[in-house]
Amino acid sequence: MHLIRCHIENFGKLSDVTIDFDKNINCINEENGWGKTTLASFIKVMFYGFENETKRDNIAKERFIYKPWQAGVYGGQLTFEENGNTYTIERNFGEKKSADTYKLINADTKLEIKKLKDNIGEELFGIDLEAFKNTVFVGQQDCQLEVKPDMSAKLTDKAEVTSDLSNFEKIIQKIKDEYNSLSYNKNSVLPKLKDEISFLKVEISKKERIESELNEVNENIKATKINKLAIEEKINEIGEKQKKIQEVINNADKKKEYERKQKDISLEESELEELKKSIPDKKLELSKLNEEINKANDYKYKNKSLEEMKLTSIEAGNLEKLKALFVNGVPSNIELEEIESDIKKYNEVSALKYNSVLSSEENIKWEQLKAKYKERLPETSEVEGLMRNWEDVKSLKSNVSNKNAEVTAYNNTKSNKKNSISYMLWGIAAVAIVVAIISLAVIKLPIVGLVSGAFAVVMAVLGFVLSSNKNNDALETKIANLNLEINTANETIEKLDAKVRAFLSEFNYGEFYTDDSITHALDEVNRELIQYQSFKNRKGQENSIVNDDNLELGKNIVRKLSNYYNDISEDLFEKTLYSLKSDCTEYNRLNDKQLRYENNKQSLDNIKNELLSFNDEYNLNLELNQNYVDELYRLEKNIIKYNEIEKRVIEKREELHSFEEVNDMEALMTVDANAAEKVQEYANQNNALYEKRDALINSLHVYQKTSDELSEKLDEIEKKELELESKTELYKENIFRDEILRSTEKYLEEAKQNYLKKYSNPIKEAFDSYYSILTDDDSKKYEIDAKLEIQLIEQGTSHNIAHLSAGYSDMVGLCRRLAMIDAMYTQEKPFLIFDDPFVNLDEDKIQGGKNFLKKISEKYQIIYFTCHDSRVIEK
């Protein structure tokens, strides 16, 4: 299998990029920041999709990381050949996975293939994404290999075994989780069951004592019920006696009720006679009286407000003057609005004419600008581009300064005082960090803070470099690289500096000795261009204003205002209109007030006549003064009260008559004098009996509650007996299950190791072969165990490769990856991606790395990324 072509519409910083791949080795040598890692990730994503899709934080999502810098279509196409067939993957990505589009097209027939899912890598390579990154895809600083279940399964190349091995680790973990849940600690199943069984046995031992207590309580309940029944019989006997004496008592109460009714009627009739003296002899309806009260209130308030409505002497004088002003009529709101609209138009044209004329100072400046830019008027975009170029110059100068500091520091590392210099550099870094914190957080100097922070990072890195064991050759390489970057930056600075100064010299801005003076000069050019355009536009408007219509409009305004005022001036149009509006408003207010006064005076006279007529009709003899309303209210109150008492007297007489008809009046007059004493005696006897009965009832409640509680305890003990039996059986079952699980785990591990042993020897042979090519070392000092892990053998003992240096660790990891890939893919070989895998190798090992890649390119298509010419592989 090999890649043919990829086209990137937009992915990360890459846009409209097309790459054709060779079948053997493809070396992509670009500087840092070009997008090599982005291209490698694009190939991976086209086969497997994005990683970390479920993360909540966008920063952790691969989809967010590679979102196009320049917007546009997010995605591209990848064409590859597999088993003699050519296919093209097309993917476009949205904000989330549900918005993605995916197509797999047969490049020969141009037909879309529906049967393959969108993570096509699993079907093509036979492994998941994690295994892909551990074999075929060698990321930057990621040469090590971790054996994944899918990789172990791929080694077998048997469909019936693949599923078992790929899930082996999950099964083993489930077994461990299962027996840990049984006996791992005191919270596991078996310890908890043992504690529960002990507790149940203690609770069941209480059964005999509870049964004895329950029998005793039940005997007490029987005795108490017998005593309660005897007392209730005595209570019933006294009740019969109370019924008989109660009839006598009821007659005495009825007699008192009859006498009270008679007395109530007599008092109500006396009050009626007294009220009759204060109301008219002639029948006066309440509705009629209410009408008169409303009229009286209306008269009272209108009379009080009438004087407030009357015009003052000053208001009367003003009204006469305004009548003379508007002798020909008051202008309407429409007429006033027309005058106001005309004045507004007149003022707008006058103001436009005034603003379009340049002042004497502006004319001088205009002539200066025309002379200055007579030969050439630059575009604003040109000046803005030069300003951006100058910002780039300042940024590059800062970077050059930092890189010079790094070069100086690296040169110092070659002295014999390496450790002391390291400590000194770390001290300088610490001081720089303090300066950065103070600048950013305290004195608010962000530029000083950022420069100090960058300097601190450089010093700290150099300190660690000096404290390591890397040789001077590596330092010389780093110094050479830094000097190359410094020279490139200085060339760019010189080119941009000359471009900016040439522009400023063209317009006679003189010599500049500081970066800020050039920045200020560019700003001045930009401001002058804006001012030039403004003056030019105003000059064009100066002679375009037509004045004839405005003069006619002014004459029309004068004519309309002259209907009311004399000597109308054009500069006082607005003030005169304001006066006219004020006079109209005042005239309408005073005229309306005069009319309201006259109308209310006439209405008040009519109400007064009606009130006097009512007073005469009912002989009330009331004076029409401020107390007149109160007297009418008092009369209304007395009439209402009289009607209510009269109605009650009639109802009470009917009630008394009904009482006499239903009762034996003669019997009511004879009542036993000792009846009350007998009632009290019976009541005392009953109270004593009820107290005894209540005490017995309370005792029964207590006994019954105790009986219920003891019965519940016995029921609980019976349940616990059943629970004890069940938990004892469950404990035995789980003991047996724990033993079975531990034995199963042991046999499964042994089976897996035995199964994989037959693959370790071929992988070991391939590893030794690749290691010899890469390092020119045939010592075969590494071993591969049954778990396919690498061990270093020295002096007869094995050592973990994690303790190797970064360079050796990368070499071992690369050889192990290729050995695993050889074993996994015996038929169709996949392509391999290497993202600068030799970055940690010393210079003398780089050639071995090149030979290594050339050798494997005989079997595999290689996509190799690097950022340095020393690591480039020639075809």
Side-chain angles (χ1 to χ4, degrees):
M1 174 184 181
H2 66 273
L3 301 179
I4 298 174
R5 170 182 292 181
C6 78
H7 174 73
I8 299 175
E9 295 286 349
N10 292 284
F11 193 85
K13 69 187 298 181
L14 298 178
S15 178
D16 193 21
V17 174
T18 300
I19 296 176
D20 293 313
F21 296 104
D22 189 272
K23 284 189 176 183
N24 299 112
I25 191 163
N26 297 268
C27 181
I28 300 175
N29 177 25
E30 297 289 349
E31 62 183 12
N32 283 329
W34 178 84
K36 299 184 296 298
T37 300
T38 302
L39 176 57
S41 296
F42 173 80
I43 296 171
K44 178 196 69 175
V45 169
M46 293 302 282
F47 283 108
Y48 282 95
F50 286 117
E51 296 184 64
N52 301 327
E53 287 286 77
T54 60
K55 297 288 185 181
R56 291 188 177 182
D57 186 1
N58 276 343
I59 302 301
K61 290 183 178 180
E62 197 174 28
R63 179 184 297 272
F64 179 82
I65 293 171
Y66 292 112
K67 189 174 182 180
W69 294 12
Q70 63 289 325
V73 176
Y74 186 6
Q77 300 87 39
L78 180 65
T79 302
F80 63 94
E81 183 271 333
E82 195 260 342
N83 281 333
N85 296 315
T86 305
Y87 303 97
T88 298
I89 300 172
E90 292 183 0
R91 287 187 188 266
N92 289 328
F93 306 109
E95 290 295 326
K96 52 187 178 180
K97 188 173 181 179
S98 59
D100 293 350
T101 61
Y102 161 80
K103 287 183 180 179
L104 178 63
I105 299 171
N106 187 310
D108 297 323
T109 64
K110 309 302 181 183
L111 298 177
E112 184 178 352
I113 299 172
K114 300 288 188 180
K115 66 179 180 178
L116 294 180
K117 54 188 179 180
D118 60 358
N119 57 341
I120 186 175
E122 290 189 8
E123 299 190 29
L124 292 173
F125 302 105
I127 52 176
D128 61 14
L129 176 58
E130 288 302 314
F132 177 80
K133 292 195 297 182
N134 269 276
T135 54
V136 175
F137 185 87
V138 183
Q140 199 173 57
Q141 298 285 356
D142 188 24
C143 293
Q144 301 307 313
L145 175 140
E146 180 184 355
V147 180
K148 299 291 184 178
D150 273 18
M151 295 164 61
S152 299
K154 182 68 176 174
L155 285 172
T156 67
D157 201 24
K158 295 180 181 179
E160 67 272 14
V161 182
T162 298
S163 176
D164 291 339
L165 284 178
S166 63
N167 294 314
F168 177 80
E169 295 297 336
K170 295 178 182 179
I171 295 171
I172 289 295
Q173 188 58 48
K174 285 184 179 180
I175 291 173
K176 288 182 179 179
D177 292 343
E178 191 68 23
Y179 69 64
N180 282 338
S181 70
L182 293 174
S183 59
Y184 182 72
N185 54 33
K186 65 180 182 180
N187 292 321
S188 299
V189 173
L190 287 171
K192 287 175 69 174
L193 277 174
K194 189 174 182 181
D195 291 343
E196 290 170 359
I197 289 170
S198 298
F199 172 76
L200 289 172
K201 288 179 178 178
V202 172
E203 290 296 307
I204 292 169
S205 66
K206 301 175 184 178
K207 180 176 182 181
E208 186 176 349
R209 175 180 58 79
I210 294 172
E211 287 176 340
S212 175
E213 292 177 2
L214 179 61
N215 291 333
E216 182 180 348
V217 170
N218 287 339
E219 289 299 323
N220 289 334
I221 290 173
K222 290 180 182 179
T224 303
K225 285 182 177 180
I226 292 172
N227 290 335
K228 174 176 170 288
L229 185 60
I231 289 174
E232 288 175 344
E233 288 178 355
K234 291 181 180 180
I235 290 173
N236 290 334
E237 290 176 3
I238 294 174
E240 291 298 323
K241 294 178 181 179
Q242 284 180 318
K243 287 181 182 179
K244 293 179 181 180
I245 197 66
Q246 189 61 43
E247 293 178 2
V248 177
I249 297 298
N250 289 342
N251 284 337
D253 291 339
K254 288 180 180 180
K255 180 181 178 183
K256 291 178 181 179
E257 183 182 357
Y258 181 74
E259 291 172 348
R260 179 183 58 75
K261 290 179 182 295
Q262 287 180 322
K263 186 177 180 180
D264 285 348
I265 292 172
S266 177
L267 291 173
E268 297 275 26
E269 288 176 340
S270 297
E271 189 172 1
L272 276 177
E273 289 297 323
E274 194 63 32
L275 284 171
K276 196 171 183 180
K277 298 175 183 178
S278 61
I279 60 177
D281 295 334
K282 185 178 180 181
K283 181 69 173 178
L284 176 57
E285 298 292 337
L286 286 175
S287 59
K288 178 68 173 176
L289 181 58
N290 283 329
E291 291 178 5
E292 294 306 314
I293 290 172
N294 291 334
K295 288 180 184 178
N297 276 320
D298 192 21
Y299 178 79
K300 179 179 178 181
Y301 293 120
K302 284 185 177 181
N303 192 41
K304 182 177 179 181
S305 61
L306 186 63
E307 284 302 316
E308 297 175 359
M309 295 181 185
K310 190 175 182 180
L311 293 178
T312 65
S313 59
I314 295 174
E315 288 177 328
N318 289 338
L319 181 59
E320 291 303 318
K321 292 179 182 178
L322 292 171
K323 285 180 179 179
L325 177 66
F326 298 121
V327 66
N328 294 322
V330 180
S332 66
N333 288 334
I334 295 175
E335 292 173 330
L336 292 173
E337 289 173 359
E338 289 176 353
I339 296 173
E340 183 176 17
S341 176
D342 290 344
I343 292 173
K344 184 177 179 182
K345 292 176 182 177
Y346 181 84
N347 289 339
E348 287 175 352
V349 174
S350 299
L352 183 61
K353 177 181 179 182
Y354 176 80
N355 291 332
S356 66
V357 178
L358 297 181
S359 66
S360 57
E361 292 82 0
E362 289 175 328
N363 269 315
I364 293 171
K365 183 65 177 177
W366 168 238
E367 294 301 326
Q368 292 173 349
L369 291 174
K370 285 196 299 181
K372 187 172 185 176
Y373 297 109
K374 180 179 179 181
E375 298 299 327
R376 184 171 78 88
L377 180 66
E379 295 290 335
T380 304
S381 59
E382 179 184 357
V383 179
E384 291 174 349
L386 290 169
M387 294 171 77
R388 288 194 295 272
N389 290 339
W390 193 245
E391 290 300 319
D392 292 341
V393 168
K394 292 193 287 185
S395 176
L396 287 169
K397 286 181 178 180
S398 176
N399 288 336
V400 166
S401 177
N402 289 336
K403 291 184 185 298
N404 280 328
E406 288 187 57
V407 170
T408 302
Y410 280 134
N411 285 326
N412 290 336
T413 61
K414 291 185 284 186
S415 67
N416 293 327
K417 298 180 180 180
K418 180 167 59 176
N419 289 335
S420 62
I421 293 174
S422 298
Y423 298 144
M424 180 183 71
L425 291 175
W426 289 336
I428 293 171
V431 172
I433 289 172
V434 172
V435 171
I437 292 172
I438 293 172
S439 300
L440 291 171
V442 179
I443 62 178
K444 308 298 184 183
L445 293 175
I447 294 176
V448 175
L450 292 173
V451 172
S452 298
F455 183 70
V457 172
V458 172
M459 293 299 102
V461 170
L462 291 179
F464 283 114
V465 169
L466 289 177
S467 64
S468 68
N469 293 322
K470 291 187 176 180
N471 55 35
N472 286 335
D473 291 340
L475 292 177
E476 288 292 348
T477 300
K478 291 180 179 178
I479 291 170
N481 290 339
L482 285 171
N483 284 327
L484 179 61
E485 293 174 3
I486 290 169
N487 292 334
T488 302
N490 282 330
E491 290 174 3
T492 303
I493 290 170
E494 184 178 354
K495 179 180 177 182
L496 294 178
D497 183 275
K499 179 181 178 182
V500 173
R501 291 180 186 273
F503 175 83
L504 294 175
S505 177
E506 179 184 353
F507 297 101
N508 299 320
Y509 273 87
E511 296 293 329
F512 297 94
Y513 302 100
T514 66
D515 292 350
D516 287 341
S517 64
I518 290 180
T519 300
H520 292 154
L522 290 171
D523 287 340
E524 179 63 23
V525 173
N526 200 35
R527 285 194 297 272
E528 286 185 347
L529 291 178
I530 293 171
Q531 194 174 31
Y532 182 98
Q533 191 61 45
S534 175
F535 286 162
K536 182 179 179 181
N537 292 339
R538 288 172 62 187
K539 276 291 184 181
Q541 292 176 354
E542 185 174 349
N543 298 318
S544 65
I545 299 171
V546 179
N547 294 319
D548 293 343
D549 292 343
N550 207 40
L551 290 173
E552 184 63 31
L553 187 61
K555 292 178 181 179
N556 189 38
I557 294 170
V558 171
R559 180 179 53 76
K560 290 181 180 179
L561 293 176
S562 297
N563 291 329
Y564 309 100
Y565 304 106
N566 298 322
D567 301 326
I568 306 302
S569 174
E570 292 182 1
D571 57 347
L572 296 177
F573 279 168
E574 291 182 338
K575 184 177 180 181
T576 305
L577 177 62
Y578 178 78
S579 298
L580 180 59
K581 287 183 176 180
S582 298
D583 288 342
C584 289
T585 302
E586 183 65 7
Y587 175 81
N588 291 330
R589 183 185 73 81
L590 295 176
N591 193 51
D592 289 345
K593 186 176 181 181
Q594 177 68 19
L595 290 174
R596 285 198 307 274
Y597 173 79
E598 293 173 356
N599 291 336
N600 275 277
K601 188 174 183 304
Q602 181 62 45
S603 175
L604 192 64
D605 291 341
N606 294 337
I607 294 172
K608 181 178 179 181
N609 292 333
E610 291 177 359
L611 291 174
L612 291 174
S613 176
F614 173 78
N615 202 358
D616 293 340
E617 181 181 356
Y618 290 97
N619 298 319
L620 298 180
N621 299 320
L622 299 177
E623 294 184 8
L624 198 61
N625 55 25
Q626 60 183 3
N627 296 325
Y628 184 72
V629 175
D630 295 336
E631 291 296 331
L632 290 179
Y633 275 124
R634 189 177 296 108
L635 177 59
E636 180 187 41
K637 181 179 178 182
N638 289 337
I639 291 174
I640 291 172
K641 189 173 182 182
Y642 182 88
N643 292 338
E644 289 175 350
I645 295 174
E646 185 179 42
K647 182 179 178 182
R648 286 204 303 270
V649 168
I650 293 171
E651 290 174 351
K652 288 180 179 180
R653 286 192 176 279
E654 291 176 352
E655 185 180 344
L656 185 64
H657 180 69
S658 299
F659 185 88
E660 289 172 345
E661 286 182 345
V662 298
N663 288 286
D664 185 356
M665 300 306 296
E666 291 183 4
L668 294 182
M669 301 303 148
T670 58
V671 177
D672 187 355
N674 298 323
E677 295 178 2
K678 290 180 180 179
V679 168
Q680 186 61 45
E681 180 183 348
Y682 292 148
N684 291 339
Q685 291 178 6
N686 252 352
N687 288 338
L689 290 171
Y690 276 119
E691 287 178 3
K692 291 180 180 180
R693 189 195 66 171
D694 291 343
L696 291 173
I697 290 173
N698 289 334
S699 297
L700 277 175
H701 287 162
V702 173
Y703 290 142
Q704 190 61 52
K705 183 179 179 182
T706 303
S707 176
D708 292 342
E709 290 174 351
L710 292 172
S711 296
E712 288 177 3
K713 288 181 180 179
L714 286 176
D715 291 341
E716 288 297 322
I717 288 174
E718 289 178 1
K719 292 178 182 178
K720 288 174 181 176
E721 287 175 338
L722 294 173
E723 187 179 356
L724 175 62
E725 182 180 349
S726 174
K727 287 188 181 295
T728 301
E729 185 64 28
L730 183 61
Y731 182 78
K732 294 177 181 177
E733 291 175 359
N734 280 300
I735 287 287
F736 180 73
R737 188 177 177 203
D738 183 69
E739 294 172 353
I740 292 297
L741 286 170
R742 293 178 186 274
S743 298
T744 301
E745 180 194 16
K746 176 183 175 182
Y747 294 138
L748 282 175
E749 283 288 356
E750 290 176 356
K752 179 193 172 185
Q753 304 309 326
N754 291 332
Y755 189 77
L756 292 177
K757 277 180 183 178
K758 63 181 179 179
Y759 299 103
S760 60
N761 288 335
I763 292 173
K764 172 65 166 61
E765 292 175 2
F767 174 85
D768 289 341
S769 174
Y770 287 126
Y771 191 78
S772 175
I773 296 170
L774 186 59
T775 64
D776 198 22
D777 181 358
D778 296 325
S779 60
K780 300 183 180 180
K781 55 186 177 181
Y782 293 94
E783 293 291 344
I784 297 179
D785 60 21
K787 292 184 178 180
L788 306 181
E789 298 293 340
I790 297 289
Q791 299 290 330
L792 172 62
I793 308 299
E794 283 190 352
Q795 298 180 357
T797 59
S798 61
H799 304 274
N800 194 315
I801 63 171
H803 302 298
L804 295 174
S805 67
Y808 271 98
S809 180
D810 284 354
M811 289 190 293
V812 170
L814 285 171
C815 294
R816 186 184 178 202
R817 277 180 179 258
L818 264 296
M820 284 291 294
I821 293 170
D822 283 351
M824 290 167 60
Y825 299 95
T826 58
Q827 301 297 325
E828 182 86 359
K829 298 295 185 182
F831 61 86
L832 303 180
I833 298 175
F834 294 92
D835 189 1
D836 219 346
F838 307 134
V839 69
N840 289 324
L841 298 190
D842 294 335
E843 206 169 283
D844 58 343
K845 298 292 192 297
I846 294 295
Q847 188 57 45
K850 294 180 180 180
N851 294 337
F852 171 79
L853 289 183
K854 286 182 178 179
K855 181 65 177 177
I856 63 175
S857 68
E858 296 173 2
K859 293 190 294 183
Y860 299 94
Q861 181 189 34
I862 306 299
I863 315 296
Y864 171 56
F865 299 99
T866 184
C867 64
H868 202 279
D869 293 340
S870 64
R871 297 195 286 274
V872 171
I873 300 174
E874 300 296 338
K875 294 184 180 178

